[in-house]
Amino acid sequence: MKRIAIFASGSGSNAENIITYFNTTKSAIVTFVFCNSKKAKVFDRCKRLKIPAVLFNRTDFFESEKILTQLKDTADIIVLAGFLWKVPSNLINAFPNKIINIHPALLPKYGGKGMYGMHVHNAVKENKESETGITIHFVNENYDEGAIIFQATTQLESTDSPEDIAQKIHALEYEHFPKVIESIIVQ
């Protein structure tokens, strides 16, 4: 059984969806959730789901081997679920093609530094896109430039607000993200 470590920065709805999904399979288990924000709601979700959650800071992540050491002992694959920091090269090198991210747009559109969450949905709305979607991709040294694994689209109406777009994206994330992770694990 493969071991998944999830990195999150916020509410943790995708993390919870992944944990719940893998609690019903024999292919993998979520061993830890790592979070860089002590106010993040993901800690409440982890407590309820009985998944260990680790708070870390910039020094732990960027200037030490602390996170890498713990990951080597507890994870075969890393999943970024609403995690906003750029992944340092020591983690990328230790887990080549084993760090997966989800982005709330159809990359390469609306990707890069600062393009996350409502920033993306606002840009999609401002540009009057007729569709948007999600991209699941491997992580490399650059924001949102790793090899694309999977994309799913949703149609937009001219009357959709950025909040409506966010709801459509969340539905795609919840439907596809765990299944795509599993397809990578069982390869």
Side-chain angles (χ1 to χ4, degrees):
M1 183 176 286
K2 297 290 185 177
R3 302 164 301 164
I4 301 169
I6 296 175
F7 280 71
S9 294
S11 77
S13 61
N14 268 312
E16 180 173 355
N17 187 43
I18 293 163
I19 292 164
T20 302
Y21 181 87
F22 284 103
N23 280 343
T24 65
T25 73
K26 295 187 190 295
S27 58
I29 187 166
V30 176
T31 54
F32 275 93
V33 172
F34 292 83
C35 183
N36 59 337
S37 173
K38 65 181 173 182
K39 295 180 181 178
K41 300 280 189 236
V42 72
F43 287 110
D44 296 332
R45 293 176 192 269
C46 288
K47 185 175 183 180
R48 182 172 36 82
L49 295 167
K50 297 178 177 36
I51 297 292
V54 176
L55 176 66
F56 64 93
N57 59 34
R58 287 192 168 279
T59 302
D60 295 339
F61 197 58
F62 293 108
E63 299 173 21
S64 80
E65 297 291 310
K66 183 178 179 179
I67 302 296
L68 178 58
T69 300
Q70 189 166 5
L71 285 169
K72 283 183 176 178
D73 292 337
T74 60
D76 301 302
I77 192 164
I78 299 167
V79 174
L80 308 184
F83 184 69
L84 302 180
W85 289 356
K86 190 174 181 183
V87 177
S89 59
N90 68 331
L91 292 183
I92 292 169
N93 293 335
F95 290 88
N97 291 325
K98 293 188 177 167
I99 305 175
I100 302 167
N101 185 44
I102 190 163
H103 186 76
L106 297 170
L107 292 174
K109 285 183 165 185
Y110 307 107
K113 186 173 175 63
M115 291 305 285
Y116 61 90
M118 290 306 293
H119 297 286
V120 172
H121 308 316
N122 286 325
V124 167
K125 175 66 177 174
E126 287 171 16
N127 288 317
K128 299 180 172 94
E129 297 286 356
S130 61
E131 71 174 10
T132 189
I134 61 168
T135 302
I136 300 169
H137 64 93
F138 288 114
V139 172
N140 67 12
E141 293 81 13
N142 302 309
Y143 282 112
D144 302 324
E145 292 183 14
I148 293 173
I149 302 164
F150 175 85
Q151 290 184 309
T153 62
T154 185
Q155 297 302 306
L156 299 177
E157 304 297 327
S158 61
T159 55
D160 283 342
S161 68
E163 291 76 18
D164 295 330
I165 295 169
Q167 286 182 342
K168 289 180 177 186
I169 292 300
H170 284 306
L172 289 176
E173 291 172 342
Y174 300 156
E175 177 184 355
H176 295 289
F177 202 15
K179 294 174 190 170
V180 172
I181 295 166
E182 185 173 41
S183 73
I184 291 165
I185 287 171
V186 298
Q187 284 183 347

